[in-house]
Amino acid sequence: MGARLTDLQKKEIIADYLELGSYNAVAKKHGISDKTVKAAVMSDPDFAKKAEEKKGENAADILSYMETKKNTVCKIIDAYLEALLDPDKIKNATPNQLTTALGTVIDKFTAMKGAADKNSTAETMLSLAELLRNPLPDRNIADYEGDRDE
């Protein structure tokens, strides 16, 4: 039978578990069994509160990071949309590929647009569908958006 964990060791194990989220990873780090890690974590009456706080911190960190990358992501999306408008790619794509591409565009576009602009979003989706159904070499998405600004 191994030695008992000190309070300091238990706190370190709980902190590491909150950070790593894995009994096995913490066990390897501390050279103990995963059962010992689980027992230490479960013995802390404030664990649920600590876990919820850590989850909130992680979510805030991810949202902050995503905000810093918004312009880069928009450039990537623009590049992919331009590639999707290539008539040869559309003509040579399988129905499954077209459906997947269109579904992805619609899902991402509507998620970013939000519910506040439902009519405009619906019109844009119809325009995208029309563009994918009838691609023309001299057409691009801007040709389908012109009527909305008038």
Side-chain angles (χ1 to χ4, degrees):
M1 187 154 140
R4 287 198 163 279
L5 296 173
T6 66
D7 285 341
L8 178 60
Q9 288 172 316
K10 286 181 185 177
K11 288 179 183 176
E12 288 174 351
I13 289 169
I14 291 166
D16 287 339
Y17 180 75
L18 288 169
E19 189 67 33
L20 300 173
S22 164
Y23 295 128
N24 287 331
V26 176
K28 288 178 184 177
K29 181 176 179 179
H30 290 273
I32 58 178
S33 76
D34 59 337
K35 290 180 182 180
T36 303
V37 172
K38 185 175 182 178
V41 168
M42 295 302 169
S43 71
D44 183 355
D46 296 327
F47 174 73
K49 179 181 171 191
K50 290 175 186 174
E52 196 60 38
E53 288 172 358
K54 184 64 177 173
K55 187 193 255 184
E57 289 172 13
N58 289 345
D61 289 346
I62 289 170
L63 290 173
S64 176
Y65 175 76
M66 287 172 61
E67 185 63 30
T68 67
K69 296 299 179 186
K70 184 168 57 173
N71 289 337
T72 302
V73 170
C74 287
K75 288 178 185 175
I76 292 168
I77 291 169
D78 287 344
Y80 274 89
L81 288 173
E82 286 297 319
L84 286 174
L85 295 175
D86 180 344
D88 290 332
K89 288 184 182 178
I90 293 172
K91 186 170 46 175
N92 296 324
T94 66
N96 191 35
Q97 290 170 327
L98 290 171
T99 301
T100 300
L102 181 60
T104 301
V105 169
I106 289 171
D107 286 349
K108 300 309 176 196
F109 184 78
T110 56
M112 293 178 78
K113 259 319 238 175
D117 196 9
K118 287 182 185 175
N119 291 338
S120 176
T121 300
E123 291 169 15
T124 303
M125 292 302 101
L126 290 173
S127 295
L128 279 171
E130 179 62 24
L131 181 61
L132 289 172
R133 272 195 302 272
N134 302 307
L136 299 172
D138 59 341
R139 288 284 190 146
N140 63 44
I141 194 68
D143 295 328
Y144 290 87
E145 294 177 331
D147 295 337
R148 291 187 321 146
D149 296 330
E150 294 177 39

